[in-house]
Amino acid sequence: MLDINKSDDYLSKGNNTVVCNWKAYLGVQESIDLASALSKWSRENEHSSDIIVSPSHASLYPVAKLLEGAGISLCAQNIDIEKPGAYTGALSADLLEEIRCKYVMLGHSEIRSGKSLGVPEDDSLISKKFAVCMRGKLNPILCIGETMQERSSGKTLEVLKRQTLVGMGKMPDKIPASKTIYLAYEPVWAISSNKTKETAIPDQINKIVTKLLDAVEKESGTNILSRIKILYGGSVDSRNIASYASQSEIDGVLIGGMSTSISKITAMLKEIEAK
Ligand code: 13P
């Protein structure tokens, strides 16, 4: 069994954050193998990055056990409900807390768009999930990002502002002090699996994030900057990770495809540690 009372003081040291989103790429045994290798690396190598892994729902529990004491946090890819009950097929926040899952990703573009067999999720539903996190122990990684069409029609800032403010329930000032809030900016057009993928220029990403934070602060009347950490996601690899992570407003990265093999993850960790 997991020791659910164990201290998790090792988390959130205020350094670079590296989130590995395994999406639905890996089977359970593959997730176990990768989590074992990454835990071993983390134990044996001095590093200052906060590492977070986000396996598929079916792999959460075995991965949780493997991460114990390895200085790596666990993240779920979504939640459906808050408390256990008569909700067939749903994943609850309570269940995630039981296995010491610290984070949950909300509003990933692949969920917002209904890309899988699922139903698309809108800002209003995402904000309900954000509120569940605020009431319980989970810390949200709120994903935002404009599509290519929105970008081409000059709507980037408008979309990001809406996704941020509505997603947070228009009340970033009410966020409990104990919470770590990540805002993950993943332009949909920069995600590696997107057929019309384009490269996001680190400097331009930083400018957009700066404008977004200014706009959100003005609108919410809150010093939101002091409350959240910013991640960039979209085709991050070992060649570009340092250039994204070294931008002034960026605290870390959210990695998809390149986070599914131990050699690729450790190559990226070495680059980000050296920056
Ligand atoms: P890629 O790193 O494969 O572009 O995926 C980004 C992403 O969607 C992470 O959540």
Side-chain angles (χ1 to χ4, degrees):
M1 274 302 288
L2 276 176
D3 178 0
I4 58 168
N5 296 315
K6 207 162 157 176
S7 159
D8 55 4
D9 285 343
Y10 60 86
L11 301 168
S12 296
K13 292 186 282 269
N15 300 307
N16 286 306
T17 300
V18 175
V19 185
C20 299
N21 177 8
W22 295 346
K23 306 194 180 190
Y25 284 123
L26 303 176
V28 175
Q29 190 55 52
E30 287 170 324
S31 303
I32 289 171
D33 294 344
L34 184 50
S36 306
L38 190 55
S39 296
K40 184 170 183 293
W41 183 90
S42 178
R43 284 194 180 91
E44 292 175 358
N45 292 274
E46 193 64 33
H47 63 91
S48 61
S49 302
D50 286 338
I51 306 172
I52 301 173
V53 300
S54 192
S56 62
H57 290 353
S59 310
L60 277 164
Y61 183 59
V63 168
K65 294 213 284 186
L66 290 163
L67 299 185
E68 268 204 311
I72 302 175
S73 307
L74 186 65
C75 175
Q77 295 178 12
N78 203 0
I79 44 166
D80 306 294
I81 51 165
E82 186 164 7
K83 301 282 171 201
Y87 305 101
T88 304
L91 178 63
S92 73
D94 268 21
L95 188 145
L96 293 176
E97 288 173 14
E98 183 185 337
I99 62 166
R100 294 185 75 242
C101 183
K102 186 167 186 195
Y103 296 98
V104 61
M105 245 185 281
L106 301 178
H108 193 284
S109 60
E110 286 152 13
I111 297 174
R112 286 181 188 268
S113 67
K115 182 183 173 195
S116 57
L117 293 176
V119 180
E121 290 193 3
D122 62 12
D123 291 314
S124 148
L125 176 56
I126 292 160
S127 80
K128 288 184 186 147
K129 297 182 179 203
F130 191 90
V132 167
C133 294
M134 294 305 103
R135 287 195 289 271
K137 291 193 185 135
L138 289 170
N139 298 282
I141 299 179
L142 177 62
C143 301
I144 59 170
E146 80 284 8
T147 62
M148 177 59 96
Q149 204 187 2
E150 288 162 339
R151 181 192 186 213
S152 310
S153 49
K155 294 200 172 126
T156 298
L157 201 57
E158 181 191 323
V159 169
L160 299 182
K161 214 169 76 173
R162 190 200 69 233
Q163 290 177 337
T164 305
L165 280 169
V166 181
M168 289 187 180
K170 294 208 175 208
M171 50 166 206
D173 55 324
K174 307 248 171 25
I175 293 169
S178 58
K179 291 286 171 193
T180 304
I181 312 286
Y182 281 104
L183 192 60
Y185 177 34
E186 300 201 299
V188 179
W189 47 267
I191 292 178
S192 66
S193 52
N194 197 323
K195 285 193 186 74
T196 54
K197 182 186 90 66
E198 276 192 27
T199 304
I201 316 288
D203 176 48
Q204 286 174 9
I205 294 295
N206 200 49
K207 285 191 178 123
I208 293 169
V209 170
T210 308
K211 280 190 195 158
L212 170 67
L213 292 172
D214 279 354
V216 170
E217 264 185 37
K218 274 200 191 94
E219 204 130 320
S220 65
T222 332
N223 180 10
I224 195 168
L225 262 179
S226 64
R227 297 305 331 274
I228 58 176
K229 294 183 178 184
I230 304 290
L231 303 175
Y232 166 75
S235 300
V236 171
D237 60 28
S238 59
R239 285 163 304 155
N240 62 27
I241 190 167
S243 56
Y244 289 118
S246 56
Q247 296 298 316
S248 59
E249 301 296 350
I250 307 228
D251 301 295
V253 287
L254 175 50
I255 311 164
M258 288 292 150
S259 73
T260 56
S261 98
I262 189 64
S263 59
K264 288 179 179 147
I265 303 176
T266 53
M268 289 185 286
L269 283 166
K270 278 177 198 149
E271 289 296 326
I272 205 168
E273 290 281 317
K275 83 167 175 61

Short mmCIF file of all heavy atoms in Angstrom, two decimals, residues 45-81:
data_model
loop_
_atom_site.label_atom_id
_atom_site.label_comp_id
_atom_site.label_asym_id
_atom_site.label_seq_id
_atom_site.Cartn_x
_atom_site.Cartn_y
_atom_site.Cartn_z
N ASN A 45 20.78 10.83 -9.51
CA ASN A 45 21.37 12.03 -10.10
C ASN A 45 20.92 13.28 -9.37
O ASN A 45 19.71 13.50 -9.19
CB ASN A 45 20.97 12.16 -11.58
CG ASN A 45 21.61 11.09 -12.42
OD1 ASN A 45 22.73 11.21 -12.88
ND2 ASN A 45 20.87 9.99 -12.58
N GLU A 46 21.89 14.06 -8.96
CA GLU A 46 21.59 15.35 -8.33
C GLU A 46 20.84 16.22 -9.34
O GLU A 46 21.30 16.37 -10.48
CB GLU A 46 22.94 16.00 -7.98
CG GLU A 46 22.88 17.18 -7.06
CD GLU A 46 22.35 16.83 -5.68
OE1 GLU A 46 22.60 15.70 -5.19
OE2 GLU A 46 21.69 17.69 -5.12
N HIS A 47 19.69 16.73 -8.97
CA HIS A 47 18.97 17.63 -9.90
C HIS A 47 18.10 18.59 -9.12
O HIS A 47 17.70 18.29 -7.99
CB HIS A 47 18.13 16.82 -10.90
CG HIS A 47 17.05 16.02 -10.27
ND1 HIS A 47 15.79 16.49 -10.08
CD2 HIS A 47 17.04 14.77 -9.75
CE1 HIS A 47 15.05 15.57 -9.49
NE2 HIS A 47 15.79 14.51 -9.28
N SER A 48 17.81 19.73 -9.73
CA SER A 48 17.02 20.73 -9.02
C SER A 48 15.63 20.92 -9.64
O SER A 48 14.82 21.66 -9.10
CB SER A 48 17.76 22.07 -9.02
OG SER A 48 17.93 22.50 -10.35
N SER A 49 15.37 20.26 -10.76
CA SER A 49 14.06 20.44 -11.40
C SER A 49 12.97 19.71 -10.63
O SER A 49 13.22 18.65 -10.05
CB SER A 49 14.08 19.86 -12.83
OG SER A 49 15.07 20.48 -13.59
N ASP A 50 11.78 20.29 -10.63
CA ASP A 50 10.60 19.59 -10.10
C ASP A 50 10.07 18.73 -11.24
O ASP A 50 9.63 19.26 -12.28
CB ASP A 50 9.51 20.58 -9.70
CG ASP A 50 9.85 21.31 -8.40
OD1 ASP A 50 10.66 20.78 -7.63
OD2 ASP A 50 9.30 22.40 -8.19
N ILE A 51 10.11 17.42 -11.06
CA ILE A 51 9.65 16.52 -12.13
C ILE A 51 8.25 16.01 -11.77
O ILE A 51 8.00 15.59 -10.64
CB ILE A 51 10.61 15.32 -12.29
CG1 ILE A 51 12.05 15.81 -12.50
CG2 ILE A 51 10.17 14.42 -13.44
CD1 ILE A 51 13.09 14.69 -12.47
N ILE A 52 7.37 16.07 -12.75
CA ILE A 52 5.98 15.62 -12.56
C ILE A 52 5.65 14.67 -13.70
O ILE A 52 5.92 14.99 -14.86
CB ILE A 52 5.00 16.82 -12.59
CG1 ILE A 52 5.35 17.84 -11.49
CG2 ILE A 52 3.55 16.36 -12.47
CD1 ILE A 52 4.55 19.14 -11.54
N VAL A 53 5.10 13.49 -13.40
CA VAL A 53 4.70 12.60 -14.49
C VAL A 53 3.19 12.39 -14.49
O VAL A 53 2.56 12.27 -13.45
CB VAL A 53 5.43 11.23 -14.49
CG1 VAL A 53 6.92 11.39 -14.61
CG2 VAL A 53 5.05 10.40 -13.32
N SER A 54 2.65 12.34 -15.69
CA SER A 54 1.21 12.22 -15.86
C SER A 54 0.87 11.02 -16.74
O SER A 54 0.80 11.12 -17.96
CB SER A 54 0.66 13.52 -16.46
OG SER A 54 -0.73 13.53 -16.38
N PRO A 55 0.70 9.84 -16.10
CA PRO A 55 0.38 8.63 -16.87
C PRO A 55 -1.11 8.54 -17.17
O PRO A 55 -1.89 9.33 -16.65
CB PRO A 55 0.82 7.50 -15.93
CG PRO A 55 0.85 8.09 -14.57
CD PRO A 55 0.81 9.59 -14.67
N SER A 56 -1.47 7.55 -17.97
CA SER A 56 -2.89 7.30 -18.24
C SER A 56 -3.60 6.89 -16.93
O SER A 56 -2.94 6.45 -15.98
CB SER A 56 -3.03 6.16 -19.25
OG SER A 56 -2.46 4.99 -18.68
N HIS A 57 -4.91 7.01 -16.90
CA HIS A 57 -5.66 6.67 -15.67
C HIS A 57 -5.32 5.25 -15.19
O HIS A 57 -5.11 5.03 -14.00
CB HIS A 57 -7.17 6.74 -15.92
CG HIS A 57 -7.70 8.13 -16.11
ND1 HIS A 57 -6.95 9.27 -15.93
CD2 HIS A 57 -8.95 8.58 -16.46
CE1 HIS A 57 -7.68 10.34 -16.16
NE2 HIS A 57 -8.91 9.95 -16.49
N ALA A 58 -5.27 4.30 -16.12
CA ALA A 58 -5.07 2.90 -15.73
C ALA A 58 -3.70 2.68 -15.10
O ALA A 58 -3.50 1.71 -14.35
CB ALA A 58 -5.23 1.98 -16.94
N SER A 59 -2.74 3.56 -15.38
CA SER A 59 -1.38 3.36 -14.88
C SER A 59 -1.09 4.18 -13.63
O SER A 59 0.00 4.09 -13.06
CB SER A 59 -0.37 3.77 -15.97
OG SER A 59 -0.70 3.16 -17.19
N LEU A 60 -2.06 4.97 -13.18
CA LEU A 60 -1.79 5.89 -12.07
C LEU A 60 -1.31 5.18 -10.80
O LEU A 60 -0.32 5.58 -10.19
CB LEU A 60 -3.05 6.72 -11.74
CG LEU A 60 -3.28 7.96 -12.61
CD1 LEU A 60 -4.72 8.45 -12.46
CD2 LEU A 60 -2.30 9.07 -12.27
N TYR A 61 -2.03 4.13 -10.40
CA TYR A 61 -1.70 3.51 -9.10
C TYR A 61 -0.33 2.83 -9.11
O TYR A 61 0.49 3.10 -8.22
CB TYR A 61 -2.83 2.56 -8.67
CG TYR A 61 -2.57 1.96 -7.31
CD1 TYR A 61 -2.43 2.78 -6.19
CD2 TYR A 61 -2.47 0.58 -7.14
CE1 TYR A 61 -2.18 2.24 -4.93
CE2 TYR A 61 -2.23 0.04 -5.88
CZ TYR A 61 -2.09 0.87 -4.78
OH TYR A 61 -1.84 0.34 -3.55
N PRO A 62 -0.03 1.97 -10.10
CA PRO A 62 1.31 1.37 -10.07
C PRO A 62 2.41 2.42 -10.20
O PRO A 62 3.47 2.30 -9.55
CB PRO A 62 1.32 0.41 -11.27
CG PRO A 62 0.12 0.73 -12.09
CD PRO A 62 -0.86 1.39 -11.18
N VAL A 63 2.17 3.45 -10.97
CA VAL A 63 3.20 4.51 -11.11
C VAL A 63 3.34 5.26 -9.78
O VAL A 63 4.46 5.56 -9.34
CB VAL A 63 2.86 5.46 -12.28
CG1 VAL A 63 3.74 6.70 -12.26
CG2 VAL A 63 3.02 4.73 -13.62
N ALA A 64 2.23 5.51 -9.10
CA ALA A 64 2.29 6.21 -7.80
C ALA A 64 3.21 5.46 -6.85
O ALA A 64 4.03 6.05 -6.14
CB ALA A 64 0.89 6.31 -7.20
N LYS A 65 3.09 4.13 -6.84
CA LYS A 65 3.91 3.33 -5.92
C LYS A 65 5.40 3.45 -6.28
O LYS A 65 6.25 3.55 -5.42
CB LYS A 65 3.47 1.87 -5.96
CG LYS A 65 2.07 1.70 -5.40
CD LYS A 65 1.86 0.40 -4.69
CE LYS A 65 1.71 -0.75 -5.65
NZ LYS A 65 1.36 -1.99 -4.94
N LEU A 66 5.68 3.47 -7.57
CA LEU A 66 7.08 3.53 -8.01
C LEU A 66 7.72 4.89 -7.75
O LEU A 66 8.94 5.00 -7.63
CB LEU A 66 7.17 3.21 -9.51
CG LEU A 66 6.88 1.75 -9.83
CD1 LEU A 66 6.57 1.58 -11.31
CD2 LEU A 66 8.06 0.88 -9.43
N LEU A 67 6.90 5.93 -7.69
CA LEU A 67 7.46 7.28 -7.50
C LEU A 67 7.73 7.60 -6.03
O LEU A 67 8.40 8.59 -5.73
CB LEU A 67 6.51 8.35 -8.06
CG LEU A 67 6.18 8.28 -9.55
CD1 LEU A 67 5.32 9.46 -9.96
CD2 LEU A 67 7.44 8.22 -10.41
N GLU A 68 7.21 6.77 -5.13
CA GLU A 68 7.38 7.05 -3.70
C GLU A 68 8.83 7.26 -3.35
O GLU A 68 9.69 6.42 -3.64
CB GLU A 68 6.87 5.85 -2.90
CG GLU A 68 5.44 5.96 -2.51
CD GLU A 68 5.16 5.11 -1.28
OE1 GLU A 68 5.55 3.93 -1.28
OE2 GLU A 68 4.57 5.65 -0.35
N GLY A 69 9.11 8.39 -2.72
CA GLY A 69 10.47 8.66 -2.23
C GLY A 69 11.48 8.97 -3.32
O GLY A 69 12.67 9.11 -3.05
N ALA A 70 11.02 9.11 -4.57
CA ALA A 70 11.96 9.37 -5.67
C ALA A 70 12.04 10.86 -6.01
O ALA A 70 12.78 11.25 -6.92
CB ALA A 70 11.56 8.57 -6.91
N GLY A 71 11.28 11.70 -5.31
CA GLY A 71 11.31 13.13 -5.60
C GLY A 71 10.61 13.49 -6.90
O GLY A 71 10.97 14.46 -7.55
N ILE A 72 9.63 12.69 -7.27
CA ILE A 72 8.86 12.96 -8.50
C ILE A 72 7.38 12.99 -8.12
O ILE A 72 6.93 12.14 -7.34
CB ILE A 72 9.09 11.85 -9.55
CG1 ILE A 72 10.58 11.75 -9.89
CG2 ILE A 72 8.28 12.13 -10.82
CD1 ILE A 72 10.91 10.60 -10.84
N SER A 73 6.65 13.94 -8.65
CA SER A 73 5.22 14.04 -8.31
C SER A 73 4.35 13.41 -9.40
O SER A 73 4.76 13.31 -10.56
CB SER A 73 4.80 15.50 -8.17
OG SER A 73 5.62 16.16 -7.29
N LEU A 74 3.14 13.06 -8.97
CA LEU A 74 2.19 12.41 -9.87
C LEU A 74 1.08 13.39 -10.27
O LEU A 74 0.63 14.20 -9.46
CB LEU A 74 1.58 11.21 -9.15
CG LEU A 74 0.65 10.30 -9.94
CD1 LEU A 74 1.42 9.58 -11.06
CD2 LEU A 74 0.00 9.27 -9.02
N CYS A 75 0.68 13.28 -11.53
CA CYS A 75 -0.38 14.16 -12.06
C CYS A 75 -1.37 13.30 -12.85
O CYS A 75 -0.96 12.45 -13.63
CB CYS A 75 0.28 15.19 -12.98
SG CYS A 75 -0.86 16.28 -13.86
N ALA A 76 -2.66 13.53 -12.64
CA ALA A 76 -3.66 12.85 -13.47
C ALA A 76 -3.94 13.72 -14.70
O ALA A 76 -3.72 14.92 -14.68
CB ALA A 76 -4.94 12.63 -12.67
N GLN A 77 -4.44 13.09 -15.74
CA GLN A 77 -4.67 13.84 -16.99
C GLN A 77 -6.03 14.53 -17.03
O GLN A 77 -6.30 15.33 -17.92
CB GLN A 77 -4.49 12.92 -18.19
CG GLN A 77 -3.07 12.41 -18.33
CD GLN A 77 -2.87 11.46 -19.49
OE1 GLN A 77 -3.73 11.33 -20.36
NE2 GLN A 77 -1.74 10.78 -19.50
N ASN A 78 -6.90 14.22 -16.05
CA ASN A 78 -8.21 14.87 -15.96
C ASN A 78 -8.92 14.33 -14.73
O ASN A 78 -8.46 13.34 -14.13
CB ASN A 78 -9.05 14.56 -17.21
CG ASN A 78 -10.15 15.60 -17.46
OD1 ASN A 78 -10.30 16.56 -16.72
ND2 ASN A 78 -10.91 15.41 -18.52
N ILE A 79 -10.00 14.95 -14.32
CA ILE A 79 -10.91 14.37 -13.32
C ILE A 79 -12.34 14.55 -13.82
O ILE A 79 -12.61 15.42 -14.64
CB ILE A 79 -10.83 15.02 -11.90
CG1 ILE A 79 -10.78 16.54 -11.98
CG2 ILE A 79 -9.74 14.43 -11.07
CD1 ILE A 79 -11.05 17.22 -10.65
N ASP A 80 -13.23 13.73 -13.26
CA ASP A 80 -14.63 13.83 -13.68
C ASP A 80 -15.52 14.31 -12.55
O ASP A 80 -16.50 15.00 -12.78
CB ASP A 80 -15.13 12.44 -14.14
CG ASP A 80 -14.24 11.87 -15.21
OD1 ASP A 80 -14.20 12.44 -16.30
OD2 ASP A 80 -13.55 10.86 -14.96
N ILE A 81 -15.21 13.87 -11.33
CA ILE A 81 -16.10 14.18 -10.19
C ILE A 81 -15.25 14.46 -8.96
O ILE A 81 -14.03 14.23 -8.96
CB ILE A 81 -17.06 13.00 -9.88
CG1 ILE A 81 -16.26 11.69 -9.75
CG2 ILE A 81 -18.16 12.89 -10.91
CD1 ILE A 81 -17.03 10.58 -9.10
#
